Every structure is written in structure tokens, then in C-alpha cells.
Amino acid sequence: MKLSHVATAVALAVAGSAAMAGEVEVLHWWTSGGEAKSVGELKKIMQTKGNTWKDFAVAGGGGDNAMTVLKSRVVAGNPPAAAQIKGPAIQEWAAEGVLANLDPVAKAEKWDSLLPKVVADGMKYKGNYVAAPVNVHRVNWMWANEAVLKKSGVTGVPMTWDEFFAAADKIKKAGFIPVAHGGQNWQDFTTFESVVLGVGGPKFYQDALIKLDQKALTSPTMTKSLETFRKVKGYTDAASPGRDWNLATAMVIQEKAAFQFMGDWAKGEFTAAGKVPGKDYICAAAPGTANAYTFNVDSFAMFKLKDAAAQKAQADLAAAIMGTEFQEVFNLNKGSIPVRLNMDMAKFDDCAKLSSKDFVASSKAGTLLPSIAHGMAVKPAAEGAIKDAVSQFWNDDKISVADGVKSIAKAAAIQ
């Protein structure tokens, strides 16, 4: 079936109120507490529209297991209505000719005016919407324990890397761990991208980590970024290798450590521990990155379906995902923020309000940037190679900064 045929069918389904309600099968890996609760809300919205929800949850592997199952289903000619897919992987699936054209829904719901262009472009293939975004996670956060800073004589949040290292020295002297880090390659990469953004600024981040420009990757700015990155490692504890991210967050919560560089999913851990932002802990942009925003957007790609009732249900699902009701309840549960630009943030906490304010400001300023560490910026092969090079440098102090720069530049050349 051609994309244009699907578009016509979806348009008719959206327009025709007499169309029968159908079943919508959704592949996702949101099986933990808050996430499962959020999916339940989407199911309720679909049921109120008279549709049948078929849950296709595949746990584990951060979505790797789900992708394996999805491939076999698509190859067999039996795809689900929607699947949790994000970043450049959306375009890779679309290039296979298996995704549906969501333009009729997107136009009716005015998605182009509700989404920042950089996010909308990520949901499109050859100018047509093929996926619906669910949320925005800010990646370039720094979390801090208020009590540890006070006990260490640190006043205010460090805004630059120089201020950060001065604070880290005081924290170390006071007997605390300055940086709680989980030594896993994606956590190393998360810290690395915030360092690159803080040292080089948004334009450099774009050239080096989105365009993978060799000149930027081998520049003195990248050398300075790696020097800073290595210096950060000097303030982590010896037990960090292999530690899960949430255990690193727990170190900040329990007043064992001062800072953690992690996306806003860390906030869920503070909330679960009964901690309040601005009182018990601080959320701030990583040093030097307050004027920019690295994002990780979850989304659902929609697959071509033959049945008209199923197409109608799929169109209802796309509209519900971007609707204000789901955007609010899902993101309150998940710790992320709504991807819609015009959302009322009254029910959200101070960290989410700051995130939303910066999201809107950076989308206007052109400093809203896809996170390379979280699958938003480059194709999976290059991302994996750079991630490995970054972790090798982080884990082996014998690798010189010059060799680290060469290794990362070489990895970025992998297609």
C-alpha cells in the first residue's frame, strides 16, 4: 500500500464520524510503575473514543528486546498500529516504506504550530509526519544536594566549569564525593555531551556531535572538552564502574555525594524519596549550558495498516498522544515535560517548570539540541562507535587527551 493511499484512508477515517471504532495495538517498553500508569491513561482515553486497546509490552533491554520483536512482526507483514521508536531510527523505518502518513491528523491538530521545528522535523520523513511525540526529557541537568553544599561551604550553584571545580575541591575536603557517577557507557556519554556543550557552546555541539564535522571534532575546543571531562572523572569515587544511574542518584539523595549529571528521569528518584526541589535538592543546567537544552523525546511511530477501522483507531491514538490531557498526566508520572509548547504547567514542580521555560526559550533561540547520548542526534552505528571511544577514554587514564580526540574523530567517521 502506498503512503498516499494510507493518507487518504486516514483522512477519511478522521473525517467520517460514522466509521467504526477499531483495535489499536501498541508496542512499548514502559513497564515500570510511573510509566505503566501513564500507558494506562492513554488506554483509558482510547477506550472513551470507543476503541479497543491491545497492549504489546516488551520489557527489558532499554527497548532492544522490543525492536527485535518489532522487526520480526514487520517482516511477517503483521505490524502493530504503533511502536515506541525515537530519533533517527524513525527515518530508518520510514525509508523501508512501512510507516503511515499522519499528516491529516497533524494538520487537523495543528502539530506544526505546537512543536518546535527541530522536534517536528524528527517526527517527519520527506516532509510527512510518521510519528507522534510523547514528551521531552532534558538531558543537560545537574542535580545537587543542598545540605552537602552547605556543609562543604559552597554557596550558590556553579554556573561555569571553573566554579564547578572550585566547589568540587571544597566538597572533597569536607569528606563528601563531589560527583556521583554510574560507570556505564551511556552514563559516561551523558556526562560527556554536557561537558562538550558547556565548554564549546551550542554551535560547537551542533558541529561536533550532530553534524560530526571532522574539523570541529579535532579542534582545540574538543581538546579542552576532553581535558574538562577527564578532570570531572577525578571527582568521582573508585566504586563508580558498573553502578546503575539510580544508585548514583541515591548517593546524592542520601548526602553521600554532591552532584550528578543525569537527565530528568533522575527527578523521579528524588520524588520517590519524598525530597522537594529547591529545599532538599537543586536542579540546574550543567555548567556553561544554561542557554541551551539537550533533549531526548520519546515518540510512537505509526505503521501502515490495511483495515479501515484500525486506521481510524490509529488516527485517534496519534491525536490522543499530542492532546493536552495525555501530555499532562503522562509527563506528571514520568518526570519529563510536555512536548507541546502551549501547555499549562500549573500542576508541575519547579524543576519541570524551569525545564519547560528553557525548552520554549531554547526553541526560539535555536539552541534546542538533540542528545547524541540518547539516540536523538546521529545514526545508531556512529553513536555506538563514539560512545565506545568516549568510555575508553574515561576508563583509561593512560590514553592521552590527544589520542582521545583522534579516537572520537575516527569513531565519528563510521557510517
Side-chain angles (χ1 to χ4, degrees):
M1 189 187 266
K2 285 181 184 170
L3 275 175
S4 57
H5 293 174
V6 176
T8 309
V10 173
L12 290 171
V14 172
S17 55
M20 281 176 62
E23 180 182 87
V24 63
E25 185 181 17
V26 182
L27 171 65
H28 64 90
W29 56 90
W30 284 323
T31 52
S32 72
E35 293 173 341
K37 196 175 163 190
S38 303
V39 172
E41 293 297 331
L42 190 55
K43 180 180 176 179
K44 266 188 235 163
I45 294 167
M46 290 301 288
Q47 286 169 339
T48 59
K49 293 187 180 188
N51 296 304
T52 308
W53 175 279
K54 190 175 177 188
D55 207 45
F56 184 7
V58 181
D64 292 344
N65 300 348
M67 287 304 101
T68 305
V69 175
L70 179 61
K71 277 172 192 158
S72 63
R73 283 281 302 268
V74 173
V75 168
N78 180 31
Q84 192 182 343
I85 300 170
K86 68 176 190 177
I90 292 170
Q91 283 73 37
E92 289 188 345
W93 278 102
E96 296 292 322
V98 293
L99 297 187
N101 185 333
L102 300 177
D103 279 357
V105 185
K107 283 194 174 86
E109 301 286 325
K110 300 184 173 62
W111 288 7
D112 273 347
S113 64
L114 293 173
L115 295 170
K117 188 177 183 299
V118 65
V119 175
D121 288 348
M123 301 298 129
K124 293 177 182 178
Y125 178 69
K126 293 187 174 174
N128 306 119
Y129 279 98
V130 292
V134 177
N135 63 349
V136 183
H137 281 293
R138 187 180 199 170
V139 178
N140 62 314
W141 277 122
M142 176 175 71
W143 307 90
N145 184 297
E146 188 86 79
V148 171
L149 297 188
K150 268 190 189 143
K151 287 173 186 174
S152 308
V154 174
T155 51
V157 183
M159 299 294 286
T160 65
W161 284 110
D162 286 344
E163 286 176 11
F164 177 82
F165 293 127
D169 284 333
K170 287 182 179 178
I171 291 156
K172 202 172 185 176
K173 206 173 169 185
F176 299 100
I177 296 161
V179 180
H181 184 75
Q184 295 168 336
N185 63 3
W186 70 270
Q187 296 190 63
D188 302 339
F189 210 13
T190 298
T191 303
F192 174 74
E193 77 173 34
S194 283
V195 170
V196 171
L197 180 59
V199 170
K203 169 82 169 66
F204 178 75
Y205 177 96
Q206 197 152 33
D207 290 343
L209 299 184
I210 299 174
K211 293 178 183 169
L212 303 181
D213 176 63
Q214 284 293 317
K215 199 173 156 192
L217 287 160
T218 54
S219 67
T221 308
M222 185 52 84
T223 298
K224 192 172 181 213
S225 297
L226 278 186
E227 285 167 356
T228 307
F229 184 55
R230 175 154 282 165
K231 199 169 177 184
V232 170
K233 193 209 169 183
Y235 292 100
T236 62
D237 65 312
S240 78
R243 180 188 286 140
D244 286 333
W245 70 269
N246 56 317
L247 299 180
T249 309
M251 290 165 65
V252 179
I253 293 168
Q254 293 158 8
E255 294 185 24
K256 291 176 184 169
F259 299 109
Q260 182 188 20
F261 298 103
M262 188 52 61
D264 56 18
W265 45 93
K267 189 178 68 176
E269 300 297 307
F270 286 97
T271 306
K275 304 296 180 187
V276 180
K279 181 172 159 262
D280 304 306
Y281 70 97
I282 299 162
C283 50
T289 75
N291 65 338
Y293 191 114
T294 47
F295 66 84
N296 177 15
V297 170
D298 288 308
S299 51
F300 281 104
M302 305 287 169
F303 284 80
K304 288 181 183 175
L305 304 171
K306 291 173 186 147
D307 180 71
Q311 287 170 6
K312 164 72 173 77
Q314 185 183 57
D316 284 348
L317 176 67
I321 285 168
M322 272 288 288
T324 52
E325 184 188 351
F326 177 68
Q327 286 279 322
E328 181 177 85
V329 74
F330 178 87
N331 289 294
L332 282 168
N333 283 330
K334 186 98 163 49
S336 43
I337 62 163
V339 72
R340 287 175 66 120
L341 286 171
N342 66 342
M343 284 289 292
D344 177 4
M345 297 295 290
K347 289 183 186 171
F348 289 81
D349 65 33
D350 289 351
C351 292
K353 283 173 181 162
L354 174 61
S355 183
S356 181
K357 180 175 147 287
D358 289 352
F359 177 63
V360 173
S362 61
S363 71
K364 284 177 186 163
T367 57
L368 186 58
L369 304 159
S371 163
I372 184 171
H374 294 274
M376 299 304 298
V378 300
K379 287 183 178 172
E383 181 197 319
I386 299 166
K387 187 194 287 171
D388 289 346
V390 165
S391 275
Q392 280 163 6
F393 176 78
W394 176 269
N395 289 315
D396 186 354
D397 292 340
K398 293 192 192 85
I399 297 173
S400 69
V401 168
D403 285 343
V405 168
K406 279 182 202 156
S407 169
I408 289 166
K410 190 180 169 189
I414 289 172
Q415 292 303 315

